[in-house]
Structures are given as structure tokens and as C-alpha cells.
Amino acid sequence: MAGNSQLTVAAHALTWIELHRRIGEGTATSEGVAGSVNTNPVVIRRLLGRMRDAGLVHSRRGADAGWVLARPLEDITLREVYEAIEPPPLFAMHRSDPNLGCPVGSGIQPAMRPVYARVEEAVRTELDRITLADVLRDVLASR
């Protein structure tokens, strides 16, 4: 089963925008971000549109068109990014109802729902402890 890469791509895009600014390259374009992510600029524009809606980036038009962070990396957590991309739940129930005449079939979903809720909250809690500044620091340290 493949994992969802949206959080990784969003963190990549946001940290790239900041690094681009720090090295004096100015406003980041969707094309520039897409080149780093190795994807289509349309994918980046859609993703950054969700980041804009969440207040994490601003878009500029005109001569200096592109994307800038709305706040410093130190003030943006991975949880905020995660919630901005509105990911699907980590775990889901059966695609169709199980056999409710079976003791396991009738009890599995009520047993698993609270487990999944606790796991989701644990993920969000961990993501809340990590800022994009932490991510950029670790990216640069791994080179």
C-alpha cells in the first residue's frame, strides 16, 4: 500500500520557498518549486492554493509574481501544513459493511474507531512539535 506524499511535497515546497528567499533569489515561482519537487507546476499551484487558504503563504501578481511565506518558518508547524492539505484519514473502515450477523463483523468497527482516533491525534501531536525551520535545518544537514 502506497503512502500519501502530500505532506512531504507541501513541506518540500514551503521550505524551498524560504531557502529560495534566503539565497537572494526573491519570490518563488510555481515553476521553480515544481523543478525542485520534480512535478508539474499545476500540482504545485493547487497545493500552494490550499496553503494560501490556510494562511501559510501569499501569492503575488505582477512583475514580482510568485509565492512567499506568510510567516517565518519557525512559526509554521507540520501540523498546520498537514491540516491545510486536508489529508484523508490514516485508517479507514471496510469499503462495504461487514457481515453484521458475525460477532467480529458487528463489533470490529466500534472496536477500531477509538484506536484510529487515538493514532490520528498522536500523529497531529507529533507534527505540532516540528516546525518548518526544523525541517529546513535537517534538510541542509543531510546534504
Side-chain angles (χ1 to χ4, degrees):
M1 216 180 279
N4 186 322
S5 64
Q6 289 185 62
L7 178 59
T8 303
V9 172
H12 184 151
L14 296 173
T15 55
W16 191 90
I17 289 169
E18 175 60 14
L19 184 60
H20 188 74
R21 184 196 65 79
R22 286 184 188 181
I23 62 174
E25 297 293 325
T27 305
T29 64
S30 299
E31 291 77 13
V33 176
S36 179
V37 175
N38 199 23
T39 193
N40 190 297
V42 172
V43 172
I44 297 302
R45 279 192 284 280
R46 286 183 188 141
L47 180 72
L48 291 176
R50 286 188 269 164
M51 298 297 109
R52 181 185 52 223
D53 293 345
L56 301 179
V57 297
H58 296 297
S59 57
R60 293 185 178 164
R61 296 176 188 234
D64 195 26
W67 301 93
V68 294
L69 296 179
R71 303 191 313 257
L73 284 184
E74 296 79 10
D75 296 338
I76 302 173
T77 67
L78 282 178
R79 180 177 183 155
E80 291 175 283
V81 178
Y82 181 73
E83 290 174 350
I85 61 173
E86 300 175 353
L90 292 173
F91 302 103
M93 295 298 164
H94 309 77
R95 290 183 191 261
S96 58
D97 288 336
N99 180 350
L100 299 180
C102 168
V104 175
S106 66
I108 192 70
Q109 290 184 358
M112 297 305 292
R113 272 191 199 97
V115 173
Y116 294 162
R118 289 191 304 271
V119 170
E120 290 273 353
E121 187 51 37
V123 167
R124 290 173 190 274
T125 298
E126 181 62 23
L127 293 175
D128 206 27
R129 295 176 15 182
I130 304 163
T131 68
L132 287 178
D134 298 327
V135 172
L136 182 57
R137 181 197 64 233
D138 293 347
V139 163
L140 296 175
S142 70
R143 297 185 64 219

